Structure formats: C-alpha cells, structure tokens
Amino acid sequence: MKRFLDLADFSREQILDLLALAQSLQDHPQPRALAGKILGLVFLNPSLRTLASFQVGMSRLGGDSFVITPGQGTWQLETRLNAVMNGAAAEHVREGIPVLASYCDALGVRAFADGKALQSDLNETFFGMIDGLCDKPLINMESAMNHPCQALADWRTLDELRIPKRSKFVLSWAYHPKPLPLAVPAAILHMAAMRGMEVVVARPDGFALPPQIMAKARVAAASAGGSVNETSDRTEALAGAQVLYAKEWGSTLHYGDAQGDSRLRAGLADWCVNERWFTGALPDAKLMHCLPVRRNVAVADEVLDGPRSLVRLEAFNRLAVQMAVLHRMLA
Ligand code: CP
C-alpha cells in the first residue's frame, strides 16, 4: 500500500482485510514488524488522538517516528502556491515535504480545509499538492474533505459492537460556536454507506453536505446494499435509529463567509445531543463522535457519560486500525 488517503480508494474486501489485520495485531502483537522503519508525521493543525496514536502505533510495531509541527520549533511552512514569502513562513511545503519524505519510510500529513472556497476544498487542492510532492507512502491524517483513519476506526467500532449492517445510522449535525470542516462528516458518511447501512444525514437547512459528497456516498451505498438519505427533521431521522453519529460542521450555504454562517447557526444551539434525542430511537441506540467534543454544547454530559457513548472506544480503535495501515505499508 502506497497511499491511505480515502476509504473510497479501496474495495470493501480490502477494508475488511485491514480490519482483520488490526484484530490480528491486537491479538498477536508483532513488536519487531517495523524495526528500522521511520514514520514522519507533519501536523499543520492541532491533534490529540492522531498525534499520540500514530507515534504509539509505530513504537508498538518496533519502528520510530518524528513529529513536525511547523512554527513550533521548526520553520513556519508556507502552503500557498505562488506566494510571495515575505511573511512569517520561511519555508514552502514544496521544499519541506520532499525533504521530510527523504528522511523517512512513510509520511503522515494533517492539513485541514482552507475553508474559503468550497470547490477548491472539495477538489483536495492542497492535499493533492502534498501527494505530488511525497515519493514515499503517504497517510491522510485529515485533509480538507477526508479523515480515513477516523472512518476506518469507526467501522471497526461498529463491527466490534456487532451493529447490524442494515441498521439505521444517523449522521447528525451538532452545534458548535464556529464553523468546523467537512472532513469528518464526509468520511463517516462514506464509511457507513460503504458498510451497507441505512444512512440518514440530519442537518438544519443551510448545512446540507455538498452534492458531490452525497452522490459519492450513494454510489457506495448502492454497491453495498444500503441507502443514503437526508432531512432537516431530527425526530424523523432518529426514529428507529441504531446509531447517532454527532458531528459539528460549517454551513455549506455560507462556506467561507463567517458572518453568514454565524447568523445561520445563532438559533441552532438546541442541536446539542441530549437524552431526549433518543426518544424514538432503538432502546440500545449508541452515540458516536470522533472527538474532541465540546460538552454541553455539541453533546450533553448525560449522553457522553452514559451507556450509549462509544467515544472512548472509537478513539482507542484509532490505534488498532492505524497499526494495520502502517503494517500494510511498511512491513
Ligand atoms: N478525531 C481526531 O482526529 O482527533 P484529533 O484531532 O485529536 O487527532
């Protein structure tokens, strides 16, 4: 495997094979599998889980890793093409990425959406440049429109809990004071569709996921025997739901327009998941969220601290699936 950028690049069988490898590495540790291998990790945006789990995963397989957080002990990296570099950044990613790739056996990069032009972010313009600059195996640790490591971990979590493939999976918008990227909702929508679930996206008007993202998921759902629908009616969405995946994201109607987004979300603070949301759901319905989560803003304490919550298991599963990805790339 040379690239891990998008679950959609893999067949369902390849994903199941990766999940089986994750289980095998957990049951039968291979502490020397990646001895002598080095993973470079470049974080253009903050992280807790991704940063820690990739370093730990590499160590548990016998390899080493280094972390670059541009501007924090290393040169600030310029990311704009054709920039006149007379500001804070002393080095461009066009030099920085190939140099770092030359030191390691695989590279992971986190680079969130620019958040200004929707089409450019949908095209993965920046991550496409990184892809072209990296001649070593490359892992997407969250790009403008994707987070395949989170999606794979969440697939494993659903399998581990034996959540039936044909059950109802609701991906719901949740409140946040600021617009957040579309990477996680897009990746999770695709994962649930590819798993063959009955997916419903619940979101207020103005927060619909882009048609390209919905269409891509519908193709995956058709191939897996599932479905993808959307509604702004939370009650309708949650009727009979087995899983509620809560996620905050920005308005697509006002993409790149902070004031427009702010006006639209001002009256939506009741999109904070609490126990009442589950009234029409299955009695053992679960709550998922990729973390970090703002307690009592996006999800209430009573849900996060209750038996429905899978958030810690999801985070733990990041380690297992990323070890499988590293093993496939480097062993
Ligand atoms: N879910 C996730 O990617 O967490 P971090 O942003 O902490 O890495």
Side-chain angles (χ1 to χ4, degrees), residues 43 46-51 110 112 141-142 147 150 184 290-292 318:
F43 283 91
S47 168
L48 185 147
R49 279 144 291 276
T50 308
L51 173 62
R110 167 167 282 195
F112 289 174
M141 300 197 301
E142 190 170 338
H147 197 350
Q150 184 66 49
V184 171
C290 65
L291 302 182
R318 293 288 303 277

Side-chain angles (χ1 to χ4, degrees), residues 75-254:
W75 303 116
Q76 186 82 39
L77 288 184
E78 177 62 64
T79 57
R80 295 169 301 157
L81 272 180
N82 306 122
V84 177
M85 290 175 52
N86 56 4
E91 179 150 18
H92 202 286
V93 290
R94 293 188 67 78
E95 284 75 47
I97 291 295
V99 167
L100 291 171
S102 75
Y103 299 147
C104 60
D105 299 290
L107 196 66
V109 177
R110 167 167 282 195
F112 289 174
D114 200 24
K116 293 181 185 135
L118 180 57
Q119 197 53 53
S120 174
D121 286 341
L122 283 167
N123 291 346
E124 295 281 14
T125 307
F126 181 71
F127 217 88
M129 177 167 67
I130 300 290
D131 190 0
L133 292 167
C134 180
D135 63 357
K136 296 287 172 59
L138 176 66
I139 300 170
N140 178 347
M141 300 197 301
E142 190 170 338
S143 63
M145 290 289 161
N146 227 311
H147 197 350
C149 298
Q150 184 66 49
L152 190 61
D154 289 333
W155 189 322
R156 176 177 157 89
T157 303
L158 292 166
D159 284 359
E160 210 174 341
L161 273 283
R162 294 193 164 80
I163 303 289
K165 291 187 175 42
R166 294 289 178 260
S167 57
K168 191 170 185 183
F169 181 100
V170 179
L171 170 64
S172 178
W173 188 85
Y175 182 75
H176 188 281
K178 288 188 299 186
L180 295 190
L182 300 172
V184 171
I188 299 310
L189 169 63
H190 198 85
M191 177 278 295
M194 205 174 168
R195 193 171 178 267
M197 303 188 79
E198 188 189 324
V199 187
V200 177
V201 181
R203 78 295 177 278
D205 292 336
F207 291 86
L209 292 175
Q212 295 94 318
I213 300 284
M214 296 296 290
K216 183 178 160 192
R218 285 194 173 108
V219 170
S223 154
S227 60
V228 172
N229 290 292
E230 63 183 320
T231 177
S232 57
D233 184 336
R234 267 191 343 235
T235 307
E236 174 196 312
L238 279 156
Q242 176 69 77
V243 177
L244 166 57
Y245 198 111
K247 186 66 190 89
E248 315 83 336
W249 68 82
S251 165
T252 41
L253 191 64
H254 296 286

Side-chain angles (χ1 to χ4, degrees), residues 8 131 164 196 200 215 223 250 272 292 296 304 329:
D131 190 0
V200 177
S223 154
C272 171
N296 305 310
L304 284 168
M329 280 186 161

